[in-house]
Amino acid sequence: MQVFKYLSALLLFVTATVFSQEVSVDQFNDHLPYNNCISIAPAAEKIYCATPYSLFIYNQQDNSVERFTKIQGLSDIDISKIAWHDGLNTLVVAYKNTNIDLFKDGEIINISDIKRKPILGNKTINDIFIKGNYAYLSCGFGIVVLDVEREEVYDTYKIGPEGEPINVTDFTYHENDNRFYASTEAGIYSADADSPNLAHFGYWHRDLQINKPLAFYSKIESFNQYIVTNKHSNLYDQDTLFQFDG
């Protein structure tokens, strides 16, 4: 029994010594949970994974993991969504308070324009859609278009009735009819992608053909020749998928 006590004490000492060597006395270390992945973005040999508090990168070639928090350079906490821009080799990181980081060429570039702008109501970024050089951010008040190449906010679409803010939950482009589609808390909106001024609400039209045109639709995707959208329900197991083929 006495030997066991000495061994236990020695193990505790060694463990404490090992962990104490991870960082020096003038540095900080993070102890954040990494088992709650809320968004992923595959990128060639790497997979980017976001948790509510941090970001980690899994390298499929050597199985290594690299972590990023505010200590390692992130501009904020509470990540809501990430997306990879393959053409520009850039990861778009969106936070719930509409702050944005770009991971580009090993550098973290912060774009805080939306966060700093006084906007009434919901400022959450719900989703990110990539097309061309742009990242279309589905926000609680509308759609923000981010120019990833120039690292700046390009435009804002307030597509609600009479230009009122509306919670946009998702966004996609359908090549078959060259239209943008947005799912919202009050129906599905669409507009011709070649419209001269998509920032004007008049170019966006609510779909009145779908069942429950004023319902809460939480997701929308373009798949082959179809548009697929999800009607949200607050009741368990009561969501409904709709498929539109023209």
Side-chain angles (χ1 to χ4, degrees):
M1 181 64 67
Q2 195 71 15
V3 174
F4 177 75
K5 289 181 179 179
Y6 285 131
L7 288 175
S8 299
L10 178 61
L11 179 61
L12 288 173
F13 174 77
V14 171
T15 304
T17 302
V18 169
F19 278 100
S20 67
Q21 291 174 347
E22 288 186 357
V23 293
S24 62
V25 293
D26 60 342
Q27 291 180 319
F28 288 97
N29 194 13
D30 64 85
H31 299 278
L32 300 172
Y34 286 88
N35 60 346
N36 180 20
C37 183
I38 59 171
S39 183
I40 65 170
E45 73 277 2
K46 295 182 179 180
I47 298 177
Y48 292 84
C49 303
T51 78
Y53 315 98
S54 58
L55 181 74
F56 66 93
I57 306 168
Y58 172 67
N59 191 315
Q60 299 183 82
Q61 291 187 333
D62 59 13
N63 295 324
S64 63
V65 175
E66 188 177 5
R67 300 183 301 175
F68 285 90
T69 67
K70 287 198 72 174
I71 296 175
Q72 285 81 32
L74 291 184
S75 301
D76 226 311
I77 58 172
D78 263 352
I79 298 173
S80 60
K81 201 73 178 179
I82 61 174
W84 176 255
H85 194 302
D86 193 49
L88 296 174
N89 293 318
T90 302
L91 182 74
V92 182
V93 181
Y95 300 91
K96 288 185 178 180
N97 61 3
T98 62
N99 204 0
I100 299 166
D101 279 340
L102 299 180
F103 272 61
K104 181 183 291 189
D105 299 325
E107 183 184 359
I108 299 178
I109 302 152
N110 180 239
I111 302 175
S112 60
D113 303 46
I114 317 172
K115 178 185 176 182
R116 291 184 285 104
K117 188 174 182 180
I119 299 174
L120 295 177
N122 183 5
K123 290 182 68 174
T124 302
I125 297 177
N126 299 307
D127 219 312
I128 306 172
F129 176 77
I130 304 290
K131 184 180 186 302
N133 289 337
Y134 301 108
Y136 295 84
L137 312 180
S138 302
C139 301
F141 55 87
I143 301 158
V144 173
V145 185
L146 184 70
D147 190 324
V148 180
E149 184 177 34
R150 299 181 63 178
E151 303 165 6
E152 64 184 16
V153 173
Y154 174 75
D155 209 346
T156 301
Y157 307 157
K158 290 189 176 179
I159 66 175
E162 303 301 318
E164 290 296 315
I166 191 170
N167 184 16
V168 178
T169 56
D170 202 4
F171 186 89
T172 193
Y173 169 75
H174 194 49
E175 190 173 357
N176 285 29
D177 55 9
N178 190 41
R179 293 183 73 82
F180 287 125
Y181 287 83
S183 59
T184 79
E185 63 181 1
I188 303 294
Y189 285 78
S190 70
D192 190 321
D194 294 329
S195 297
N197 185 13
L198 286 170
H200 192 279
F201 69 91
Y203 289 96
W204 293 85
H205 305 283
R206 181 157 44 198
D207 190 328
L208 300 177
Q209 301 178 62
I210 195 169
N211 187 15
K212 306 289 185 181
L214 296 176
F216 190 124
Y217 291 89
S218 59
K219 283 290 181 182
I220 192 162
E221 299 292 339
S222 173
F223 180 74
N224 291 336
Q225 70 268 37
Y226 301 109
I227 293 289
V228 181
T229 188
N230 181 74
K231 183 169 74 68
H232 173 74
S233 172
N234 290 324
L235 301 176
Y236 176 75
D237 202 24
Q238 293 298 309
D239 282 19
T240 307
L241 277 179
F242 289 93
Q243 178 177 284
F244 177 69
D245 61 2

